[in-house]
Amino acid sequence: MGNWPTIPFPLPPTMRHMKTTARAGSNIAFIKYWGNLIDDIRVPRNNSVAMTLSHCHTVSTVGLDAGLQSDEVFQGEGMMGDEERRRASQHLENIRRAAGRNEYARIATKSSFPAGCGIASSASAFAAITAAACKAYGLETDSTEMSKLARLGSASASRSCFGGFVELLAGRSHEDTYSVQVAPERHWPELRDVIAVVSRERKSVSSSVGHVMAKTSPLYEARISSLPPEISRVKAAILDKDLTALGEILEREALCLHAIAMTSRPPILYWVQETIAILHAVRSWREEGVHAYFTIDAGPNVHIITTSDCVRPVLSRLDALGVSDTIVDEPGGGPVFLDEHLF
Ligand code: PMV
């Protein structure tokens, strides 16, 4: 499985078989997952807390075909990179094993946003693939079981198996590491994630590599031990809909993650000049009464967490900074099945 064909959608009629399609939202972590206890099955060292997004999503179609000699992974617009495509096939194998099935499948995914640049594309991709593949292989799963399986593809995908505000509980094995909903999307519908897209380029160091390297940072253990009270505070801030309390923690947390990345050996520097300019700007906007806070995943793009009434002032200020490529997102629901297929 090395060469991944790129073909136009829709696929020719001869390639159409029994198939299932699911859509799942990406998510933005307020408390980040960074580093694993068990790398190969993606059991994280720490719990993480995120908001599932509505507009940044991935659609995935999985079609079983007993005649295939291997999985075929097709590329849609905004599709994952090579590494993720290899991972998609590996992930199908996890689901086949759980379902006790052995037919290979065709799989296609299409995302509504740029991949691999800090907008958690693997979260929505692996959640959508998991939902579609479980159904295609006849594996009956509730959201909890699905969140365990999705985690094998990408741990952040585990959180996308639920809508709203979600915590990934880091256990010590596959069975006790899954996600739970903290609050549904309707709990805080006015919360917004304004994504300032300063680069659509794929990052040079993937999150998977970053997780492995995290342990080489002298700051890593300090972050892990400082997290439990931060996690309790973040969940309380979500339940109280307290943006000031949430914002203080999420800025601190994002800086902490990047401090670890920057002090890993070799160091990983995800930020570009515009990233830093936006961090300073968001702080100064608060002094002007714009209630907004930043967080950054593993990439240069900045997520500005705010409320619906501040979206306009945030967008106009970003524009004045020269950042006009933006995505405005909001709390979204869990995975859904669609009648329309990608092929
Ligand atoms: O699930 P992964 O391997 O793509 O890692 C996600 C890492 C961060 O986005 C930086 C943090 C997070 O919790 O989403």
Side-chain angles (χ1 to χ4, degrees):
M1 233 163 309
N3 299 318
W4 301 98
T6 301
I7 58 160
F9 289 115
L11 296 183
T14 48
M15 296 176 79
R16 296 181 192 156
H17 294 272
M18 211 195 74
K19 40 190 127 62
T20 310
T21 298
R23 185 184 68 215
S26 179
N27 66 76
I28 177 64
F30 298 155
I31 298 286
K32 317 276 183 194
Y33 143 58
W34 200 243
N36 289 314
L37 179 68
I38 311 174
D39 281 316
D40 55 349
I41 56 167
R42 299 175 197 271
V43 171
R45 263 301 290 281
N46 63 280
N47 290 17
S48 52
V49 181
M51 174 172 88
T52 299
L53 299 174
S54 170
H55 305 305
C56 288
H57 59 246
T58 301
V59 173
S60 175
T61 296
V62 174
L64 309 194
D65 185 341
L68 288 176
Q69 300 304 307
S70 62
D71 293 317
E72 288 182 2
V73 182
F74 295 102
Q75 188 168 3
E77 205 181 285
M79 170 57 182
M80 308 170 280
D82 287 352
E83 184 205 328
E84 283 93 343
R85 276 180 284 169
R86 251 188 308 279
R87 275 165 59 187
S89 176
Q90 266 165 26
H91 192 51
L92 280 185
E93 189 55 38
N94 294 326
I95 292 166
R96 272 194 289 270
R97 207 174 302 137
R101 299 275 295 260
N102 51 25
E103 313 93 297
Y104 289 110
R106 284 194 185 83
I107 174 171
T109 70
K110 189 171 181 180
S111 292
S112 64
F113 60 103
C117 57
I119 319 181
S121 50
S122 60
S124 51
F126 283 101
I129 292 169
T130 305
C134 283
K135 193 165 178 207
Y137 283 109
L139 187 62
E140 301 235 338
T141 48
D142 59 11
S143 302
T144 306
E145 279 306 311
M146 199 184 285
S147 78
K148 285 183 200 169
L149 286 170
R151 197 204 71 237
L152 296 170
S154 163
S156 56
S158 172
R159 300 184 308 240
S160 282
C161 293
F162 290 86
F165 302 86
V166 186
E167 180 172 17
L168 168 55
L169 305 173
R172 305 200 63 80
S173 67
H174 173 67
E175 278 307 318
D176 62 1
T177 303
Y178 53 86
S179 294
V180 293
Q181 191 178 58
V182 175
E185 59 274 28
R186 63 180 177 280
H187 166 71
W188 199 356
E190 52 290 335
L191 201 63
R192 292 290 178 274
D193 176 9
V194 179
I195 309 169
V197 184
V198 298
S199 170
R200 287 182 176 248
E201 262 175 49
R202 187 164 287 279
K203 59 199 176 207
S204 55
V205 182
S206 70
S207 302
S208 297
V209 172
H211 294 303
V212 175
M213 284 167 63
K215 323 179 174 53
T216 65
S217 163
L219 309 181
Y220 181 60
E221 291 300 331
R223 171 170 182 269
I224 297 292
S225 54
S226 73
L227 279 177
E230 295 283 75
I231 291 167
S232 304
R233 280 184 212 118
V234 154
K235 287 193 289 183
I238 291 169
L239 294 175
D240 294 345
K241 298 197 258 182
D242 182 344
L243 181 59
T244 308
L246 177 67
E248 278 173 20
I249 303 166
L250 64 88
E251 289 198 350
R252 189 158 64 226
E253 163 59 2
L255 294 173
C256 208
L257 180 148
H258 284 271
I260 289 172
M262 287 177 201
T263 52
S264 291
R265 292 179 200 171
I268 312 171
L269 184 55
Y270 286 119
W271 296 357
V272 294
Q273 212 168 343
E274 292 85 344
T275 313
I276 301 167
I278 297 171
L279 304 193
H280 285 293
V282 171
R283 290 182 157 190
S284 70
W285 301 343
R286 283 208 291 276
E287 280 158 31
E288 299 162 14
V290 180
H291 206 190
Y293 297 84
F294 63 76
T295 183
I296 322 165
D297 273 352
N301 298 317
V302 183
H303 296 250
I304 300 169
I305 306 299
T306 186
T307 43
S308 48
D309 53 318
C310 288
V311 167
R312 268 168 175 266
V314 165
L315 289 176
S316 62
R317 282 167 170 79
L318 281 173
D319 198 48
L321 275 181
V323 181
S324 52
D325 189 359
T326 53
I327 302 169
V328 180
D329 219 326
E330 57 192 58
V336 290
F337 293 105
L338 306 178
D339 291 333
E340 272 188 38
H341 306 297
L342 290 177
F343 58 86

